[in-house]
Amino acid sequence: MSPLIVILLAAAFGFYMAWNIGANDVANAMGTSVGARSLSFRQAIIVAAIFEFTGAMLVGNHVSLTVAKGIVSPAAYSKDALVFALGMLATLLAAALWVNMATKLGMPVSTTHSIVGGVMGFGIVTHGLASIEWGKVITIVASWIVSPISGGIISFFIFLFISKKILADDKPVVAAKKYAPFLAFLVSMVLVFSMLYKGLKNLHLNFSFTHALLIAIAVSIVFYAVIYKIVDNIPVDATLPYKRRFPQVERVFAILQVITASYMAFSHGANDVANAVGPLMGAVYASALTAHKALSMPIWVLSVGAVGIVAGLSMYGYKVILVVGRKITDMTPSRGFAAEFGAATTVLVCSKMGLPISTTHTLVGSVIGVGLARGIGALNLKVLKDIVVSWLLTLPIAAALSAAIFLSLKGLFVG
């Protein structure tokens, strides 16, 4: 099998996987914003396209064999690079097919876990169960519980704070204008600090804890001043009936939610583009070894991932966005803000603690937390049950698909 054929297949499968990441996973960033009507679907696509693409191209080059290294050892394939290349191709296609199937059903699943399942599948059929790093697999299984619960707890208390301090106030618009700049400061602190502290290594910007904190505080003061100026211009009409003042309150949170949605899109593009271009790069790298050539990370690999994500979101992203944003619980800008803030904070804290978590699971857990703050009756339990089932099926189905595809490719190209 020539290296050129491997590269062409890897590019095609990688684009297909990126397309599915855009169609399914970007709902993490945009689902609550669209569900709360802070952004229209068209506006969400524009925001996501800008920040997903920017995140993927600027910070997304930490790929190579990161995913594969944690599940199976590439050293086991050092004498047969073609088998490893075929394994990466099988992983990409299997994960993409499963995510595509889940998207069609409107189920938000973890693309990271799909890739991990794919790697496990071809690892088992080539070197047996002993080749799998089961400790890593156990931590992933644990994250199915840790991620949604952590996001849910933080979002629950954030929305409880908003409910008591703003929504239940006799003058909710005045309360919203009072607390919004403070919330903008907190959001900015969490987001900017998480981006700067150990988050920009690939741009060779390694800020220390102190420097990252000082920059985050400075940026957050600017955000405080800007939001203070914006909300200060929102008129307070004391003659309106109490209930008709809430649209003015939600206008304040819609502004804040656009900030959190933009950050989540950037972060998602930076991190999850690896799910498409990681195995793609693995296949390209392995094919280069068979040709006895050295290979550096080409920019076209990142471009395939970035363009594919944006294309998938714009063409097929509406199905999962509607489930996350509208079918789990009724979403408003204040609830969406609490969910996105809780999810972003959880991802930051767990990442710094070295806990592997899924953005998808965290965001869904955060939406559940906001719903629980209004009572169990506010949740659509049938939709939740279907989502949990799809999470449990992701690893074994992706593994089975990958094993079957790998054996087919091996029979076709190796014999």
Side-chain angles (χ1 to χ4, degrees), residues 316-346:
Y316 208 46
Y318 64 92
K319 290 181 80 74
V320 174
I321 280 179
L322 291 179
V323 171
V324 173
R326 294 183 183 170
K327 292 188 178 179
I328 296 176
T329 189
D330 188 31
M331 196 59 66
T332 62
S334 57
R335 297 168 194 163
F337 167 77
E340 287 179 355
F341 187 22
T345 306
T346 304

PDB file of all heavy atoms in Angstrom, residues 316-346:
ATOM      1  N   TYR A 316     -25.169  20.292   9.607  1.00  0.00           N
ATOM      2  CA  TYR A 316     -25.941  19.273  10.316  1.00  0.00           C
ATOM      3  C   TYR A 316     -25.986  19.502  11.823  1.00  0.00           C
ATOM      4  O   TYR A 316     -26.485  18.658  12.563  1.00  0.00           O
ATOM      5  CB  TYR A 316     -25.324  17.899  10.022  1.00  0.00           C
ATOM      6  CG  TYR A 316     -26.287  16.733  10.097  1.00  0.00           C
ATOM      7  CD1 TYR A 316     -27.533  16.784   9.491  1.00  0.00           C
ATOM      8  CD2 TYR A 316     -25.933  15.569  10.766  1.00  0.00           C
ATOM      9  CE1 TYR A 316     -28.398  15.711   9.555  1.00  0.00           C
ATOM     10  CE2 TYR A 316     -26.798  14.479  10.831  1.00  0.00           C
ATOM     11  CZ  TYR A 316     -28.028  14.561  10.225  1.00  0.00           C
ATOM     12  OH  TYR A 316     -28.894  13.502  10.295  1.00  0.00           O
ATOM     13  N   GLY A 317     -25.484  20.652  12.284  1.00  0.00           N
ATOM     14  CA  GLY A 317     -25.362  20.858  13.716  1.00  0.00           C
ATOM     15  C   GLY A 317     -26.661  21.139  14.445  1.00  0.00           C
ATOM     16  O   GLY A 317     -26.736  21.030  15.664  1.00  0.00           O
ATOM     17  N   TYR A 318     -27.708  21.484  13.689  1.00  0.00           N
ATOM     18  CA  TYR A 318     -28.958  21.905  14.325  1.00  0.00           C
ATOM     19  C   TYR A 318     -29.621  20.807  15.158  1.00  0.00           C
ATOM     20  O   TYR A 318     -30.286  21.093  16.156  1.00  0.00           O
ATOM     21  CB  TYR A 318     -29.942  22.411  13.266  1.00  0.00           C
ATOM     22  CG  TYR A 318     -30.374  21.355  12.275  1.00  0.00           C
ATOM     23  CD1 TYR A 318     -31.511  20.584  12.486  1.00  0.00           C
ATOM     24  CD2 TYR A 318     -29.639  21.119  11.119  1.00  0.00           C
ATOM     25  CE1 TYR A 318     -31.912  19.612  11.586  1.00  0.00           C
ATOM     26  CE2 TYR A 318     -30.017  20.147  10.215  1.00  0.00           C
ATOM     27  CZ  TYR A 318     -31.143  19.405  10.443  1.00  0.00           C
ATOM     28  OH  TYR A 318     -31.525  18.436   9.550  1.00  0.00           O
ATOM     29  N   LYS A 319     -29.417  19.529  14.804  1.00  0.00           N
ATOM     30  CA  LYS A 319     -30.134  18.453  15.495  1.00  0.00           C
ATOM     31  C   LYS A 319     -29.712  18.351  16.971  1.00  0.00           C
ATOM     32  O   LYS A 319     -30.544  18.324  17.877  1.00  0.00           O
ATOM     33  CB  LYS A 319     -29.901  17.107  14.782  1.00  0.00           C
ATOM     34  CG  LYS A 319     -30.573  17.017  13.433  1.00  0.00           C
ATOM     35  CD  LYS A 319     -30.343  15.673  12.789  1.00  0.00           C
ATOM     36  CE  LYS A 319     -31.264  14.603  13.341  1.00  0.00           C
ATOM     37  NZ  LYS A 319     -32.630  14.750  12.873  1.00  0.00           N
ATOM     38  N   VAL A 320     -28.398  18.287  17.210  1.00  0.00           N
ATOM     39  CA  VAL A 320     -27.917  18.164  18.590  1.00  0.00           C
ATOM     40  C   VAL A 320     -28.068  19.487  19.349  1.00  0.00           C
ATOM     41  O   VAL A 320     -28.364  19.505  20.543  1.00  0.00           O
ATOM     42  CB  VAL A 320     -26.448  17.686  18.601  1.00  0.00           C
ATOM     43  CG1 VAL A 320     -25.896  17.688  20.016  1.00  0.00           C
ATOM     44  CG2 VAL A 320     -26.354  16.287  18.016  1.00  0.00           C
ATOM     45  N   ILE A 321     -27.903  20.595  18.651  1.00  0.00           N
ATOM     46  CA  ILE A 321     -28.070  21.903  19.288  1.00  0.00           C
ATOM     47  C   ILE A 321     -29.477  22.034  19.868  1.00  0.00           C
ATOM     48  O   ILE A 321     -29.670  22.510  20.994  1.00  0.00           O
ATOM     49  CB  ILE A 321     -27.798  23.038  18.268  1.00  0.00           C
ATOM     50  CG1 ILE A 321     -26.280  23.245  18.130  1.00  0.00           C
ATOM     51  CG2 ILE A 321     -28.455  24.346  18.703  1.00  0.00           C
ATOM     52  CD1 ILE A 321     -25.898  24.322  17.140  1.00  0.00           C
ATOM     53  N   LEU A 322     -30.464  21.593  19.130  1.00  0.00           N
ATOM     54  CA  LEU A 322     -31.847  21.701  19.608  1.00  0.00           C
ATOM     55  C   LEU A 322     -32.091  20.791  20.819  1.00  0.00           C
ATOM     56  O   LEU A 322     -32.849  21.150  21.724  1.00  0.00           O
ATOM     57  CB  LEU A 322     -32.831  21.368  18.480  1.00  0.00           C
ATOM     58  CG  LEU A 322     -32.875  22.389  17.351  1.00  0.00           C
ATOM     59  CD1 LEU A 322     -33.869  21.961  16.276  1.00  0.00           C
ATOM     60  CD2 LEU A 322     -33.262  23.770  17.880  1.00  0.00           C
ATOM     61  N   VAL A 323     -31.444  19.604  20.846  1.00  0.00           N
ATOM     62  CA  VAL A 323     -31.615  18.699  21.989  1.00  0.00           C
ATOM     63  C   VAL A 323     -31.004  19.311  23.243  1.00  0.00           C
ATOM     64  O   VAL A 323     -31.637  19.392  24.304  1.00  0.00           O
ATOM     65  CB  VAL A 323     -30.976  17.320  21.702  1.00  0.00           C
ATOM     66  CG1 VAL A 323     -30.953  16.473  22.974  1.00  0.00           C
ATOM     67  CG2 VAL A 323     -31.752  16.599  20.616  1.00  0.00           C
ATOM     68  N   VAL A 324     -29.738  19.761  23.141  1.00  0.00           N
ATOM     69  CA  VAL A 324     -29.045  20.328  24.306  1.00  0.00           C
ATOM     70  C   VAL A 324     -29.707  21.633  24.749  1.00  0.00           C
ATOM     71  O   VAL A 324     -29.848  21.904  25.940  1.00  0.00           O
ATOM     72  CB  VAL A 324     -27.549  20.566  23.974  1.00  0.00           C
ATOM     73  CG1 VAL A 324     -26.852  21.304  25.116  1.00  0.00           C
ATOM     74  CG2 VAL A 324     -26.852  19.245  23.706  1.00  0.00           C
ATOM     75  N   GLY A 325     -30.116  22.441  23.772  1.00  0.00           N
ATOM     76  CA  GLY A 325     -30.626  23.771  24.100  1.00  0.00           C
ATOM     77  C   GLY A 325     -32.089  23.841  24.477  1.00  0.00           C
ATOM     78  O   GLY A 325     -32.506  24.763  25.198  1.00  0.00           O
ATOM     79  N   ARG A 326     -32.888  22.876  24.014  1.00  0.00           N
ATOM     80  CA  ARG A 326     -34.333  23.037  24.226  1.00  0.00           C
ATOM     81  C   ARG A 326     -35.050  21.806  24.771  1.00  0.00           C
ATOM     82  O   ARG A 326     -36.138  21.938  25.343  1.00  0.00           O
ATOM     83  CB  ARG A 326     -35.001  23.461  22.908  1.00  0.00           C
ATOM     84  CG  ARG A 326     -34.551  24.845  22.457  1.00  0.00           C
ATOM     85  CD  ARG A 326     -35.248  25.322  21.217  1.00  0.00           C
ATOM     86  NE  ARG A 326     -34.723  26.621  20.800  1.00  0.00           N
ATOM     87  CZ  ARG A 326     -34.984  27.216  19.649  1.00  0.00           C
ATOM     88  NH1 ARG A 326     -35.780  26.619  18.765  1.00  0.00           N
ATOM     89  NH2 ARG A 326     -34.457  28.380  19.360  1.00  0.00           N
ATOM     90  N   LYS A 327     -34.497  20.604  24.564  1.00  0.00           N
ATOM     91  CA  LYS A 327     -35.277  19.410  24.923  1.00  0.00           C
ATOM     92  C   LYS A 327     -34.983  18.865  26.311  1.00  0.00           C
ATOM     93  O   LYS A 327     -35.786  18.122  26.859  1.00  0.00           O
ATOM     94  CB  LYS A 327     -35.062  18.310  23.866  1.00  0.00           C
ATOM     95  CG  LYS A 327     -35.682  18.679  22.521  1.00  0.00           C
ATOM     96  CD  LYS A 327     -35.648  17.518  21.546  1.00  0.00           C
ATOM     97  CE  LYS A 327     -36.323  17.907  20.240  1.00  0.00           C
ATOM     98  NZ  LYS A 327     -36.279  16.806  19.245  1.00  0.00           N
ATOM     99  N   ILE A 328     -33.790  19.166  26.898  1.00  0.00           N
ATOM    100  CA  ILE A 328     -33.496  18.664  28.246  1.00  0.00           C
ATOM    101  C   ILE A 328     -34.289  19.469  29.268  1.00  0.00           C
ATOM    102  O   ILE A 328     -34.914  18.929  30.177  1.00  0.00           O
ATOM    103  CB  ILE A 328     -31.987  18.747  28.540  1.00  0.00           C
ATOM    104  CG1 ILE A 328     -31.207  17.835  27.583  1.00  0.00           C
ATOM    105  CG2 ILE A 328     -31.705  18.332  29.989  1.00  0.00           C
ATOM    106  CD1 ILE A 328     -29.697  17.928  27.731  1.00  0.00           C
ATOM    107  N   THR A 329     -34.237  20.799  29.141  1.00  0.00           N
ATOM    108  CA  THR A 329     -35.008  21.673  30.019  1.00  0.00           C
ATOM    109  C   THR A 329     -35.227  22.996  29.293  1.00  0.00           C
ATOM    110  O   THR A 329     -34.493  23.318  28.344  1.00  0.00           O
ATOM    111  CB  THR A 329     -34.267  21.907  31.360  1.00  0.00           C
ATOM    112  OG1 THR A 329     -35.131  22.575  32.270  1.00  0.00           O
ATOM    113  CG2 THR A 329     -33.007  22.726  31.163  1.00  0.00           C
ATOM    114  N   ASP A 330     -36.227  23.752  29.720  1.00  0.00           N
ATOM    115  CA  ASP A 330     -36.510  25.041  29.081  1.00  0.00           C
ATOM    116  C   ASP A 330     -35.373  26.016  29.382  1.00  0.00           C
ATOM    117  O   ASP A 330     -35.011  26.201  30.540  1.00  0.00           O
ATOM    118  CB  ASP A 330     -37.847  25.585  29.619  1.00  0.00           C
ATOM    119  CG  ASP A 330     -38.281  26.812  28.856  1.00  0.00           C
ATOM    120  OD1 ASP A 330     -37.966  26.907  27.659  1.00  0.00           O
ATOM    121  OD2 ASP A 330     -38.929  27.692  29.462  1.00  0.00           O
ATOM    122  N   MET A 331     -34.806  26.610  28.339  1.00  0.00           N
ATOM    123  CA  MET A 331     -33.604  27.427  28.518  1.00  0.00           C
ATOM    124  C   MET A 331     -33.897  28.910  28.308  1.00  0.00           C
ATOM    125  O   MET A 331     -34.638  29.294  27.398  1.00  0.00           O
ATOM    126  CB  MET A 331     -32.531  26.968  27.513  1.00  0.00           C
ATOM    127  CG  MET A 331     -31.126  27.436  27.822  1.00  0.00           C
ATOM    128  SD  MET A 331     -30.479  26.904  29.424  1.00  0.00           S
ATOM    129  CE  MET A 331     -30.378  25.131  29.188  1.00  0.00           C
ATOM    130  N   THR A 332     -33.342  29.745  29.181  1.00  0.00           N
ATOM    131  CA  THR A 332     -33.386  31.198  29.032  1.00  0.00           C
ATOM    132  C   THR A 332     -31.946  31.699  29.106  1.00  0.00           C
ATOM    133  O   THR A 332     -31.048  30.944  29.513  1.00  0.00           O
ATOM    134  CB  THR A 332     -34.194  31.838  30.174  1.00  0.00           C
ATOM    135  OG1 THR A 332     -33.539  31.543  31.414  1.00  0.00           O
ATOM    136  CG2 THR A 332     -35.628  31.324  30.220  1.00  0.00           C
ATOM    137  N   PRO A 333     -31.680  32.962  28.750  1.00  0.00           N
ATOM    138  CA  PRO A 333     -30.287  33.455  28.838  1.00  0.00           C
ATOM    139  C   PRO A 333     -29.688  33.312  30.231  1.00  0.00           C
ATOM    140  O   PRO A 333     -28.505  32.964  30.352  1.00  0.00           O
ATOM    141  CB  PRO A 333     -30.420  34.921  28.424  1.00  0.00           C
ATOM    142  CG  PRO A 333     -31.555  34.921  27.457  1.00  0.00           C
ATOM    143  CD  PRO A 333     -32.542  33.928  28.020  1.00  0.00           C
ATOM    144  N   SER A 334     -30.452  33.569  31.298  1.00  0.00           N
ATOM    145  CA  SER A 334     -29.884  33.452  32.646  1.00  0.00           C
ATOM    146  C   SER A 334     -29.537  31.993  32.958  1.00  0.00           C
ATOM    147  O   SER A 334     -28.497  31.701  33.554  1.00  0.00           O
ATOM    148  CB  SER A 334     -30.853  33.995  33.693  1.00  0.00           C
ATOM    149  OG  SER A 334     -32.101  33.329  33.626  1.00  0.00           O
ATOM    150  N   ARG A 335     -30.396  31.052  32.534  1.00  0.00           N
ATOM    151  CA  ARG A 335     -30.105  29.628  32.752  1.00  0.00           C
ATOM    152  C   ARG A 335     -28.942  29.178  31.865  1.00  0.00           C
ATOM    153  O   ARG A 335     -28.073  28.404  32.300  1.00  0.00           O
ATOM    154  CB  ARG A 335     -31.343  28.787  32.453  1.00  0.00           C
ATOM    155  CG  ARG A 335     -32.512  29.094  33.384  1.00  0.00           C
ATOM    156  CD  ARG A 335     -33.804  28.476  32.887  1.00  0.00           C
ATOM    157  NE  ARG A 335     -34.956  29.037  33.579  1.00  0.00           N
ATOM    158  CZ  ARG A 335     -36.210  28.945  33.161  1.00  0.00           C
ATOM    159  NH1 ARG A 335     -36.478  28.297  32.043  1.00  0.00           N
ATOM    160  NH2 ARG A 335     -37.181  29.487  33.845  1.00  0.00           N
ATOM    161  N   GLY A 336     -28.931  29.629  30.613  1.00  0.00           N
ATOM    162  CA  GLY A 336     -27.843  29.264  29.705  1.00  0.00           C
ATOM    163  C   GLY A 336     -26.506  29.791  30.192  1.00  0.00           C
ATOM    164  O   GLY A 336     -25.486  29.100  30.101  1.00  0.00           O
ATOM    165  N   PHE A 337     -26.528  31.017  30.711  1.00  0.00           N
ATOM    166  CA  PHE A 337     -25.292  31.590  31.262  1.00  0.00           C
ATOM    167  C   PHE A 337     -24.782  30.736  32.419  1.00  0.00           C
ATOM    168  O   PHE A 337     -23.584  30.421  32.490  1.00  0.00           O
ATOM    169  CB  PHE A 337     -25.550  33.022  31.742  1.00  0.00           C
ATOM    170  CG  PHE A 337     -24.449  33.572  32.599  1.00  0.00           C
ATOM    171  CD1 PHE A 337     -23.268  34.024  32.033  1.00  0.00           C
ATOM    172  CD2 PHE A 337     -24.579  33.608  33.985  1.00  0.00           C
ATOM    173  CE1 PHE A 337     -22.233  34.510  32.826  1.00  0.00           C
ATOM    174  CE2 PHE A 337     -23.549  34.089  34.780  1.00  0.00           C
ATOM    175  CZ  PHE A 337     -22.379  34.539  34.197  1.00  0.00           C
ATOM    176  N   ALA A 338     -25.687  30.353  33.332  1.00  0.00           N
ATOM    177  CA  ALA A 338     -25.283  29.536  34.486  1.00  0.00           C
ATOM    178  C   ALA A 338     -24.711  28.192  34.025  1.00  0.00           C
ATOM    179  O   ALA A 338     -23.698  27.720  34.562  1.00  0.00           O
ATOM    180  CB  ALA A 338     -26.480  29.314  35.414  1.00  0.00           C
ATOM    181  N   ALA A 339     -25.325  27.580  33.019  1.00  0.00           N
ATOM    182  CA  ALA A 339     -24.856  26.278  32.518  1.00  0.00           C
ATOM    183  C   ALA A 339     -23.478  26.406  31.881  1.00  0.00           C
ATOM    184  O   ALA A 339     -22.570  25.595  32.151  1.00  0.00           O
ATOM    185  CB  ALA A 339     -25.859  25.712  31.523  1.00  0.00           C
ATOM    186  N   GLU A 340     -23.298  27.421  31.020  1.00  0.00           N
ATOM    187  CA  GLU A 340     -22.014  27.567  30.328  1.00  0.00           C
ATOM    188  C   GLU A 340     -20.904  27.966  31.295  1.00  0.00           C
ATOM    189  O   GLU A 340     -19.774  27.487  31.184  1.00  0.00           O
ATOM    190  CB  GLU A 340     -22.139  28.597  29.204  1.00  0.00           C
ATOM    191  CG  GLU A 340     -22.937  28.068  28.020  1.00  0.00           C
ATOM    192  CD  GLU A 340     -23.095  29.094  26.907  1.00  0.00           C
ATOM    193  OE1 GLU A 340     -22.671  30.253  27.101  1.00  0.00           O
ATOM    194  OE2 GLU A 340     -23.667  28.733  25.868  1.00  0.00           O
ATOM    195  N   PHE A 341     -21.226  28.845  32.239  1.00  0.00           N
ATOM    196  CA  PHE A 341     -20.228  29.246  33.237  1.00  0.00           C
ATOM    197  C   PHE A 341     -19.830  28.049  34.092  1.00  0.00           C
ATOM    198  O   PHE A 341     -18.645  27.807  34.366  1.00  0.00           O
ATOM    199  CB  PHE A 341     -20.798  30.378  34.097  1.00  0.00           C
ATOM    200  CG  PHE A 341     -19.796  30.993  35.047  1.00  0.00           C
ATOM    201  CD1 PHE A 341     -18.430  30.893  34.823  1.00  0.00           C
ATOM    202  CD2 PHE A 341     -20.226  31.686  36.166  1.00  0.00           C
ATOM    203  CE1 PHE A 341     -17.511  31.466  35.691  1.00  0.00           C
ATOM    204  CE2 PHE A 341     -19.313  32.263  37.046  1.00  0.00           C
ATOM    205  CZ  PHE A 341     -17.958  32.145  36.808  1.00  0.00           C
ATOM    206  N   GLY A 342     -20.815  27.261  34.506  1.00  0.00           N
ATOM    207  CA  GLY A 342     -20.528  26.075  35.315  1.00  0.00           C
ATOM    208  C   GLY A 342     -19.693  25.064  34.557  1.00  0.00           C
ATOM    209  O   GLY A 342     -18.747  24.478  35.102  1.00  0.00           O
ATOM    210  N   ALA A 343     -20.020  24.863  33.282  1.00  0.00           N
ATOM    211  CA  ALA A 343     -19.272  23.896  32.474  1.00  0.00           C
ATOM    212  C   ALA A 343     -17.834  24.363  32.262  1.00  0.00           C
ATOM    213  O   ALA A 343     -16.886  23.578  32.408  1.00  0.00           O
ATOM    214  CB  ALA A 343     -19.968  23.701  31.131  1.00  0.00           C
ATOM    215  N   ALA A 344     -17.667  25.642  31.921  1.00  0.00           N
ATOM    216  CA  ALA A 344     -16.316  26.171  31.669  1.00  0.00           C
ATOM    217  C   ALA A 344     -15.467  26.087  32.936  1.00  0.00           C
ATOM    218  O   ALA A 344     -14.283  25.723  32.883  1.00  0.00           O
ATOM    219  CB  ALA A 344     -16.404  27.624  31.189  1.00  0.00           C
ATOM    220  N   THR A 345     -16.074  26.408  34.077  1.00  0.00           N
ATOM    221  CA  THR A 345     -15.339  26.357  35.340  1.00  0.00           C
ATOM    222  C   THR A 345     -14.931  24.921  35.671  1.00  0.00           C
ATOM    223  O   THR A 345     -13.804  24.655  36.115  1.00  0.00           O
ATOM    224  CB  THR A 345     -16.195  26.923  36.487  1.00  0.00           C
ATOM    225  OG1 THR A 345     -16.640  28.228  36.125  1.00  0.00           O
ATOM    226  CG2 THR A 345     -15.412  27.008  37.780  1.00  0.00           C
ATOM    227  N   THR A 346     -15.841  23.987  35.455  1.00  0.00           N
ATOM    228  CA  THR A 346     -15.544  22.575  35.732  1.00  0.00           C
ATOM    229  C   THR A 346     -14.408  22.067  34.866  1.00  0.00           C
ATOM    230  O   THR A 346     -13.488  21.393  35.347  1.00  0.00           O
ATOM    231  CB  THR A 346     -16.799  21.711  35.474  1.00  0.00           C
ATOM    232  OG1 THR A 346     -17.868  22.214  36.258  1.00  0.00           O
ATOM    233  CG2 THR A 346     -16.543  20.260  35.826  1.00  0.00           C
TER     234      THR A 346
END
